[in-house]
Amino acid sequence: MSKKIAQQEIASQVEADSKTVPEKRERRSGIYFTAKRIASTATFAAIAIVCKLIGKTLMLTPSFTVSFIYIPWLIAGAYLGPICGPIVGLVSDLIGNTIFGTPLIPLTVVSNTLFPLPIALIFRFAKKGNVYIKTICGSVASLVVCTLGIGSLALYTAYGYSESMNFFEYLIAFRSPQVGVLAVNITVLCLLVAPLQRVGLYPKSGESDGALAFAVGIVVSYALYAAAMITIT
């Protein structure tokens, strides 16, 4: 009996090793941009452009739209990592601006390129922890650093707001709704996490207490949304 169990363990180990051989070869040969990774990057960039198009149809005011482009950027960061994630942000931003005739502002391009990076770094280096908590932390970090930070500074200087108000007044007056937009994106992303995990398009780390973390995510999202609405009203 013990001999049979030992043979099964050896067979299982051989099978596991055979599955990791391509990955080991890839690391040894220095190949990073595999066909699969390139195809995934292009797919996420295309989805982001479609989301940008959808956002154009959800224009609430001439200067404010409800965009869902954050969702593919965040998924790309979590799934593709800190190199291909930002590439998705860069490619989708450049092509999207070209298609829709939007002026290219260098700092805005930097902001959108870096947007997938925080969540990518969190999933890359934080091996433990609940997947929903990581998703929320990565999303909020992107909001603060990229959308409210670099992106807002780009618009603040490019459109001459600096002549009539300081940066923090501009944030409150014009950029606060982005908090609500991200809250909506986080809510939708939290709903998509489990289906994406089932098809292998989202990390599966820290799945314990998933229901509690999901509930916390929803509460945080709507708290952000409420804060944005209170601020602008």
Side-chain angles (χ1 to χ4, degrees):
M1 183 68 178
S2 60
K3 183 178 180 181
K4 184 177 181 180
I5 293 175
Q7 289 175 341
Q8 290 175 343
E9 290 178 349
I10 293 172
S12 299
Q13 184 62 41
V14 170
E15 182 181 358
D17 291 341
S18 67
K19 291 180 179 179
T20 59
V21 166
E23 296 178 4
K24 292 179 180 178
R25 287 177 180 170
E26 179 180 314
R27 288 196 295 268
R28 285 199 299 266
S29 62
I31 298 174
Y32 179 81
F33 291 102
T34 60
K36 180 180 178 181
R37 188 171 280 119
I38 293 172
S40 298
T41 301
T43 300
F44 278 111
I47 293 173
I49 293 171
V50 172
C51 289
K52 191 178 184 72
L53 174 62
I54 294 173
K56 293 292 183 180
T57 66
L58 299 176
M59 184 175 292
L60 302 182
T61 69
S63 59
F64 176 65
T65 60
V66 179
S67 175
F68 292 100
I69 197 170
Y70 295 146
I71 295 174
W73 284 350
L74 291 170
I75 297 173
Y79 174 64
L80 294 174
I83 295 179
C84 286
I87 289 176
V88 170
L90 173 63
V91 171
S92 60
D93 188 55
L94 291 177
I95 296 178
N97 285 331
T98 301
I99 293 174
F100 304 120
T102 307
L104 281 177
I105 303 173
L107 267 182
T108 301
V109 176
V110 172
S111 172
N112 294 335
T113 299
L114 295 179
F115 194 92
L117 184 60
I119 193 171
L121 293 176
I122 286 174
F123 275 101
R124 173 60 60 89
F125 295 108
K127 301 301 182 182
K128 297 182 179 180
N130 189 277
V131 66
Y132 292 102
I133 299 300
K134 292 181 183 179
T135 299
I136 295 166
C137 290
S139 302
V140 173
S142 294
L143 170 72
V144 174
V145 175
C146 299
T147 304
L148 298 181
I150 302 172
S152 295
L153 180 62
L155 299 176
Y156 175 71
T157 55
Y159 291 104
Y161 291 102
S162 57
E163 298 176 1
S164 58
M165 63 182 73
N166 63 48
F167 180 67
F168 294 102
E169 290 174 338
Y170 169 75
L171 281 180
I172 294 174
F174 294 98
R175 300 295 285 173
S176 295
Q178 292 300 318
V179 179
V181 172
L182 185 74
V184 174
N185 280 256
I186 293 176
T187 302
V188 175
L189 180 55
C190 285
L191 292 171
L192 291 174
V193 165
L196 288 170
Q197 286 177 331
R198 283 195 289 270
V199 297
L201 292 176
Y202 208 81
K204 291 187 176 182
S205 59
E207 294 179 275
S208 59
D209 298 326
L212 176 61
F214 176 77
V216 171
I218 298 299
V219 171
V220 170
S221 298
Y222 280 100
L224 289 172
Y225 182 79
M229 293 302 101
I230 291 172
T231 302
I232 64 177
T233 56

